[in-house]
Amino acid sequence: MNAAPLEQTTPDRTAPHSDAEAVSLPPWRTLAKRILPTAIQNPIRAFIRIAEGLRLLYRDYVRYLNNSGVFHEDEEARLRARISASYHVVEKGLSHHDPRPGFGKDMAAALAGCLQAYRGAGYPTSCSQYQSAIAVLNCYRELQRRTNTKAPVAVDQFFQELGPTTLAGFSGGYAVKRGEDLLASFRGDFRSLATHRHSIRHFAGTPVSEAAIQRAVDLARWAPSACNRQPVRVHVLKSRPQLEQILDLQGGARGFIELIDKLLIVTVDLRAYFSFAERNLAYVDGGLFAMTLMYALCYEGIGSCPLHMALSSGTEDTIRRIAGLREAEAAVLMLGVGNIPESLKVAHSQRKPLDEYLVVH
């Protein structure tokens, strides 16, 4: 599966960088182009580009700091996001082939605390995030009962204070699926494929066909990319020591690392982009490709679990070194892959209602 190197192109650095610039230059720039020699113009252009890049990066930084939950989590939307992320961590553990009794006590207790804070703030408890989190915690508590393991005190206190409740059709935890049913759905129409794709954390333990991976990547080549630049590369890691070391560093596959047969790393070549305005396009192109690849893997009968690369710089650098990634490659996503077993558990992963996605202007 050797990929051809990305064709290098040298953009015309003297060309305007936008349609607006091509139509009308400010008078001072028109005058500067006429009177200044090229040897002086080029350093000035470079300085302007660097200044614009720093301005964009600062704007991104401030917007993220002001709106994310880095420092402030008590606002409704941020609390809902924290609840969703927390209950899904518990839900993932429940979907493991053989979950360890007593797993995730700290996260379950933290989730109970988030739910109490949300309800205490007077936010609507009918939302899908709150209701699904209750369903997941209840499933978690039932597992602890069946294994004669004590649930965290915070979880029991939450349910005592909650009292009898109706989950209004929401559910959480895990579902048991038959492998043959999933495989049949993967080869059905697109609605069937999209609604039956799950992040798989229990694999058959048999080697995944490299030919099948090649066919999946071949299908994913048809994913769109900005200006058809096609900057994506897929690294397929087969070495167990290398694979396990990377997965242990990433952390999201703990509990089922030994079941993953191969690891795919989706990267994007940053040399395909030419301006600071395109600073996020690598992750747009990489994300479009990665989702198409997951569907293609399903079509080929291969289960996958996406593992993000939102890591500390030190951890990412170590993973890049182990995987042999080039400096120009932005690591977008990893996929742990394996064959679908006869029977498996999947996280329920309740979806929010359509009206929380769709905004019609």
Side-chain angles (χ1 to χ4, degrees):
M1 298 178 63
N2 294 327
L6 178 70
E7 180 181 354
Q8 295 300 293
T9 59
T10 303
D12 182 1
R13 297 301 185 188
T14 64
H17 293 279
S18 70
D19 292 339
E21 187 178 359
V23 172
S24 176
L25 287 173
W28 66 269
R29 291 189 63 177
T30 303
L31 179 64
K33 289 185 70 173
R34 288 177 180 172
I35 66 175
L36 293 178
T38 302
I40 296 178
Q41 287 186 40
N42 287 341
I44 292 175
R45 286 196 190 99
F47 175 80
I48 291 172
R49 289 183 188 130
I50 291 171
E52 174 65 6
L54 291 174
R55 186 186 73 81
L56 290 170
L57 292 174
Y58 177 75
R59 187 186 68 176
D60 290 349
Y61 173 79
V62 171
R63 177 185 294 158
Y64 186 79
L65 206 60
N66 287 340
N67 293 283
S68 71
V70 171
F71 293 118
H72 310 288
E73 292 191 2
D74 55 351
E75 190 265 336
E76 182 180 355
R78 297 187 186 109
L79 261 179
R80 286 192 186 190
R82 174 61 66 187
I83 288 169
S84 294
S86 299
Y87 86 63
H88 191 58
V89 171
V90 178
E91 195 172 46
K92 287 188 294 185
L94 292 169
S95 71
H96 287 182
H97 173 57
D98 187 19
R100 174 178 53 82
F103 82 92
K105 285 188 174 182
D106 291 342
M107 182 55 69
L111 175 57
C114 283
L115 291 171
Q116 287 177 325
Y118 183 88
R119 188 180 62 200
Y123 297 136
T125 57
S126 59
C127 69
S128 63
Q129 297 92 334
Y130 183 87
Q131 294 289 320
S132 296
I134 292 175
V136 169
L137 270 186
N138 191 51
C139 185
Y140 176 83
R141 192 169 59 156
E142 288 300 320
L143 173 66
Q144 307 315 313
R145 284 200 188 115
R146 291 198 305 269
T147 58
N148 294 317
T149 305
K150 186 172 178 58
V153 173
V155 173
D156 287 336
Q157 286 179 342
F158 171 76
F159 279 103
Q160 288 172 6
E161 294 175 10
L162 183 66
T165 183
T166 302
L167 296 179
F170 295 105
S171 56
Y174 65 90
V176 178
K177 303 287 185 179
R178 292 200 312 164
E180 61 180 334
D181 291 341
L182 284 182
L183 293 172
S185 299
F186 295 162
R187 284 296 181 102
D189 60 23
F190 183 72
R191 173 172 287 276
S192 176
L193 168 60
T195 56
H196 288 84
R197 186 213 63 80
H198 297 277
S199 295
I200 305 297
R201 299 177 177 86
H202 177 203
F203 300 107
T206 55
V208 173
S209 164
E210 290 184 43
I213 293 177
Q214 286 182 325
R215 291 193 298 270
V217 174
D218 187 41
L219 279 175
R221 289 188 306 121
W222 297 99
S225 61
C227 299
N228 197 36
R229 283 177 254 202
Q230 303 178 61
V232 177
R233 296 291 178 268
V234 181
H235 298 258
V236 181
L237 278 60
K238 301 185 292 182
S239 163
R240 288 307 304 181
Q242 186 184 35
L243 180 153
E244 290 176 3
Q245 190 176 3
I246 289 174
L247 289 175
D248 188 57
L249 284 166
Q250 195 274 343
R254 287 175 187 156
F256 63 102
I257 290 176
E258 68 281 359
L259 299 176
I260 294 174
D261 181 59
K262 293 179 176 63
L263 183 66
L264 279 53
I265 304 180
V266 177
T267 70
V268 176
D269 197 320
L270 295 176
R271 293 174 296 179
Y273 306 100
F274 308 126
S275 74
F276 282 107
E278 296 181 336
R279 65 199 179 282
N280 296 321
L281 279 185
Y283 299 97
V284 174
D285 289 344
L288 289 168
F289 185 95
M291 190 68 250
T292 307
L293 177 58
M294 282 190 276
Y295 283 140
L297 289 167
C298 287
Y299 185 78
E300 291 295 334
I302 301 171
S304 67
C305 183
L307 302 162
H308 66 73
M309 290 295 293
L311 308 169
S312 69
S313 58
T315 300
E316 181 182 347
D317 288 344
T318 303
I319 289 176
R320 295 174 64 87
R321 177 180 54 78
I322 296 170
L325 303 184
R326 295 173 300 177
E327 174 63 24
E329 290 181 278
V332 175
L333 185 75
M334 300 193 294
L335 292 170
V337 301
N339 291 321
I340 305 290
E342 291 183 3
S343 178
L344 67 156
K345 292 189 293 185
V346 296
H348 190 275
S349 300
Q350 175 76 41
R351 292 310 194 250
K352 295 189 291 186
L354 178 61
D355 61 7
E356 292 191 42
Y357 284 88
L358 186 64
V359 181
V360 180
H361 298 272

